[in-house]
Amino acid sequence: MKKYSITVVIPAHNEEKYVARCLRSVKAAANYYGGPVEMIVVCNRCTDKTAEIAVQCGANVLYNDKRCIGSVRNTGIFAAKGDVVVTIDCDNRMTKGTLKEIAVKLATGKYIGGGAPIRFERYSFPLRCNDRLCRIGFGLTGLYCGIFWAKKSTLLAVGGFSEIKAMEDVATAKKLKRYGKLMGKQYATLRRNFLINSTRKFDDLGDWLYFKMMLQHTDAFIKAALGDKRKLDNLLDELFYDYQN
């Protein structure tokens, strides 16, 4: 198996409770892979000890203060030294064989890049409903987004992550899939490994969180569909960009 150099890019907003856990999972995957692995944590408006802990865990730390997760990820992607870039959110974890499976898939020359399935770190009835909806959506589109992986040259060719406020993962997956079609390659998903998805928002705000959000903020989604995104932007700030403040 070809030993690509790999950079793992991890965006973080006040993640002092989770950053060490995430980096431990990356280190375990790096040890299992056996090739060179760089870790980059991109701090986004952090006011806690995220950066300090990341450095202690062996990661390089960069900074991006924009309220745009795509831009935050791109800061790490553009600075990456690895031939291959893998992205994962700071409150999540990867399974031990993740980096090795990615390297094996890329070495075949068949794949432009891809994603990974998602499994919650705990389950309840509403979380199983959420999980099922995710699996159906990913299964129908083939655009798995749990963990992104591709050669750095590929990500640069498509302009990096889509710099939009939300759903940047789906938009980026679509770009990679289109580019792969031009190159005669497939957008793939990992089969033996997966993202361990944090339930911290559900722990804090309830397991029915996203279902309640869709019901309580229907007007925001309707207005956004009609072109007025102000309410939706405020909601996204509250759920993502200002969460953990």
Side-chain angles (χ1 to χ4, degrees):
M1 180 186 69
K2 183 175 180 178
K3 293 292 184 182
Y4 296 101
S5 58
I6 297 176
T7 296
V8 180
V9 174
I10 306 165
H13 172 63
N14 286 345
E15 302 284 6
E16 64 181 8
K17 293 181 181 179
Y18 299 95
V19 63
R21 185 181 74 165
C22 179
L23 291 171
R24 283 196 297 269
S25 78
V26 175
K27 285 182 177 180
N31 289 336
Y32 188 74
Y33 169 52
V37 176
E38 174 190 34
M39 301 185 298
I40 295 178
V41 173
V42 185
C43 286
N44 177 242
R45 299 172 295 114
C46 291
T47 57
D48 64 358
K49 296 181 179 179
T50 298
E52 179 183 337
I53 295 170
V55 171
Q56 291 172 354
C57 291
N60 297 323
V61 174
L62 302 176
Y63 298 88
N64 180 311
D65 290 340
K66 292 183 179 179
R67 290 172 177 266
C68 176
I69 188 64
S71 175
V72 177
R73 288 196 177 104
N74 282 338
T75 294
I77 290 169
F78 298 154
K81 296 177 182 176
D83 300 318
V84 173
V85 174
V86 178
T87 70
I88 183 171
D89 289 348
C90 198
D91 58 338
N92 297 329
R93 288 167 285 163
M94 62 175 62
T95 49
K96 185 177 72 171
T98 297
L99 301 181
K100 185 173 182 179
E101 186 175 355
I102 288 169
V104 168
K105 283 190 174 297
L106 287 173
T108 66
K110 297 178 181 179
Y111 305 108
I112 198 67
I118 295 173
R119 302 290 181 266
F120 287 108
E121 61 186 358
R122 69 170 177 83
Y123 278 93
S124 63
F125 176 69
L127 289 182
R128 288 191 184 282
C129 292
N130 198 313
D131 179 269
R132 183 54 57 187
L133 287 174
C134 289
R135 293 194 194 201
I136 290 172
F138 288 149
L140 289 174
T141 63
L143 300 175
Y144 287 80
C145 302
I147 291 173
F148 274 97
W149 49 274
K151 290 183 178 179
K152 180 179 177 178
S153 58
T154 298
L155 289 169
L156 294 180
V158 300
F161 263 72
S162 298
E163 295 196 4
I164 54 179
K165 201 155 194 177
M167 299 294 287
E168 82 294 334
D169 47 1
V170 175
T172 303
K174 288 179 178 178
K175 286 200 302 183
L176 281 172
K177 189 172 184 178
R178 286 195 299 268
Y179 185 68
K181 190 173 182 180
L182 291 174
M183 298 293 105
K185 297 184 178 183
Q186 302 172 43
Y187 183 90
T189 183
L190 302 183
R191 296 299 179 188
R192 298 181 179 179
N193 292 276
F194 51 88
L195 174 79
I196 303 171
N197 195 40
S198 168
T199 59
R200 62 153 181 203
K201 283 192 177 74
F202 301 107
D203 297 340
D204 292 344
L205 303 174
D207 287 2
W208 290 105
L209 170 62
Y210 290 117
F211 295 99
K212 287 181 179 178
M213 182 186 72
M214 287 186 284
L215 290 174
Q216 292 172 354
H217 300 280
T218 303
D219 62 325
F221 291 102
I222 292 173
K223 287 183 177 179
L226 296 174
D228 183 356
K229 296 184 178 181
R230 288 174 293 180
K231 281 193 173 182
L232 182 59
D233 283 347
N234 290 336
L235 179 60
L236 293 173
D237 278 342
E238 180 182 342
L239 278 175
F240 298 105
Y241 296 102
D242 291 330
Y243 191 74
Q244 296 279 91
N245 275 352

